Amino acid sequence: MYTSFFNLRENPFSLTPDPRYLYLSPQHREAMNHLIYGIHEKKGFILITGGIGTGKTTICRSIIKKLDPSVQTAFILNPFLSDIELLETITQEFHIPVESAQRTKKNFVDALNGFLLNNFAAGKNAVVFIDEAQNLPRATLEQIRMLSNLETEQEKLIQIVLVGQPELQEILASPTLRQINDRIMLRYHLEPLRRADVKHYIEHRLSVATGDGQLSFSEGAFKKVFEFSRGYPRRINAICDRALLVAYTESARVIEKKTIENAMRDMSTGYMTGGQTEPSKGRRWLAPVLILVFAVLIAAGVIYGGQILRSISPFRLF
């Protein structure tokens, strides 16, 4: 709606994980370096964790686009898979034909092992990215551990990148998953952006979308975005997208502090405070009033109903 008004080629604050818009803060750059090192050095297991909307998926997509063609990749977005469904998905992602019509673990593992051995002979590598890995069933995690046994005497045949929210670390630390936890050679945890990075993040996305400088944010606006978003990129995108809509309706090309405040007030989810949401102050009276109205209606119904019963009963109580 507002893209032509601001002379934008596209929406700079879309919530989709587009690698073109990846802003490499110092920690995002370090996370990418961990991934690239672990993949090329064939470290086996790599763990990337971070809060919701910190950019984990975008980093993975960006890495996949930058990897050498000799690196075969599989990206699993749906972690709610049984152990056999995981094996089937991996073979599909790698375009591995499975000859037998029977869906058994052995058939899938044999096909995958043959593919990996051919890869190794050709000097190639294979990487499986599993997003939202905190949702993997325990049996599936155990199957992933077994996949790490596919190796030669010199090196691992497959690299597995587990990507998930902070609770994934706690899950892997449980005694029943100690074997897989001990095999993770590289770990990195993504924190929210710092205040200075929020400004650079917004400017970077505007530059990718247009680069003509016709749209800008004031210092007060940057401060407010950080205050409301707490540095989480996904929240930054949601706030800025709404702020541009507010500015468009006001025919303003500079996003001011007040614009951000109006955008937050206008968002149906209410004000964001440290990752939580609370109702807009203007609507806090609504719940008590509704309760009172229902109470009055119930009381009126009881009284009116009693009067009707007394009027039709052959036996008078009074």
Side-chain angles (χ1 to χ4, degrees):
M1 180 182 293
Y2 54 68
T3 51
S4 59
F5 175 76
F6 293 115
N7 198 29
L8 298 169
R9 291 191 299 271
E10 57 196 3
N11 181 358
F13 299 108
S14 172
L15 296 180
T16 56
D18 189 338
R20 293 178 304 137
Y21 284 92
L22 176 61
Y23 166 68
L24 289 177
S25 70
Q27 62 163 338
H28 284 78
R29 191 180 301 277
E30 190 172 351
M32 289 191 70
N33 289 338
H34 272 69
L35 280 170
I36 292 172
Y37 172 76
I39 291 169
H40 285 297
E41 294 300 317
K42 299 185 177 181
K43 292 297 184 180
F45 276 108
I46 305 170
L47 177 65
I48 301 293
T49 56
I52 298 173
T54 49
K56 305 181 296 296
T57 303
T58 308
I59 285 177
C60 290
R61 290 189 182 279
S62 181
I63 284 285
I64 290 172
K65 290 178 68 70
K66 293 181 179 181
L67 286 173
D68 188 90
S70 65
V71 180
Q72 306 287 326
T73 60
F75 195 5
I76 298 175
L77 294 170
N78 173 27
F80 294 99
L81 300 170
S82 67
D83 49 359
I84 194 168
E85 288 173 338
L86 174 73
L87 291 171
E88 184 176 21
T89 303
I90 291 175
T91 57
Q92 289 172 350
E93 286 286 306
F94 282 132
H95 306 290
I96 303 171
V98 180
E99 294 181 2
S100 175
Q102 293 184 332
R103 296 173 68 256
T104 65
K105 287 186 184 181
K106 184 179 185 304
N107 289 332
F108 288 125
V109 171
D110 287 347
L112 178 59
N113 192 46
F115 166 79
L116 294 174
L117 287 172
N118 290 333
N119 248 18
F120 174 73
K124 295 181 178 182
N125 195 358
V127 187
V128 176
F129 292 83
I130 304 178
D131 203 4
E132 301 294 345
Q134 76 278 353
N135 295 320
L136 286 166
R138 296 299 176 98
T140 307
L141 280 168
E142 178 61 21
Q143 181 61 64
I144 291 171
R145 182 186 71 81
M146 297 300 293
L147 287 180
S148 69
N149 292 331
L150 300 177
E151 56 188 4
T152 67
E153 294 180 353
Q154 295 83 25
E155 59 188 38
K156 298 288 184 182
L157 291 176
I158 189 169
Q159 322 308 313
I160 300 171
V161 181
L162 298 176
V163 184
Q165 296 173 26
E167 54 263 35
L168 178 58
Q169 299 182 53
E170 300 175 11
I171 293 170
L172 294 173
S174 65
T176 57
L177 294 174
R178 180 177 177 181
Q179 291 190 61
I180 187 173
N181 196 42
D182 289 345
R183 297 188 185 196
I184 298 174
M185 296 292 101
L186 290 172
R187 304 167 186 259
Y188 194 86
H189 181 72
L190 275 170
E191 297 287 351
L193 296 173
R194 299 181 179 90
R195 180 174 170 179
D197 286 324
V198 169
K199 175 181 179 179
H200 297 320
Y201 174 89
I202 293 172
E203 291 177 337
H204 168 73
R205 296 189 75 95
L206 290 176
S207 176
V208 172
T210 176
D212 64 3
Q214 290 191 24
L215 172 64
S216 62
F217 283 61
S218 71
E219 289 300 322
F222 287 128
K223 181 179 179 180
K224 274 297 175 185
V225 171
F226 174 73
E227 179 183 326
F228 284 127
S229 70
R230 293 292 187 265
Y232 286 90
R234 188 176 299 172
R235 297 180 197 165
I236 295 171
N237 287 358
I239 294 167
C240 290
D241 177 64
R242 184 57 62 93
L244 264 59
L245 181 59
V246 172
Y248 165 72
T249 61
E250 297 173 351
S251 298
R253 297 186 184 276
V254 177
I255 309 299
E256 304 283 358
K257 171 184 174 182
K258 189 66 176 177
T259 314
I260 302 298
E261 293 174 339
N262 290 339
M264 290 305 304
R265 188 174 298 111
D266 190 47
M267 291 178 73
S268 60
T269 53
Y271 290 98
M272 288 185 181
T273 54
Q276 304 296 323
T277 61
E278 62 181 27
S280 175
K281 294 181 180 178
R283 296 183 181 178
R284 290 179 179 173
W285 53 268
L286 187 57
V289 169
L290 288 175
I291 293 172
L292 180 60
V293 169
F294 279 119
V296 170
L297 290 174
I298 292 171
V302 170
I303 294 172
Y304 183 66
Q307 291 175 345
I308 293 176
L309 288 174
R310 286 196 297 271
S311 66
I312 64 175
S313 175
F315 301 100
R316 297 290 180 174
L317 296 178
F318 302 101

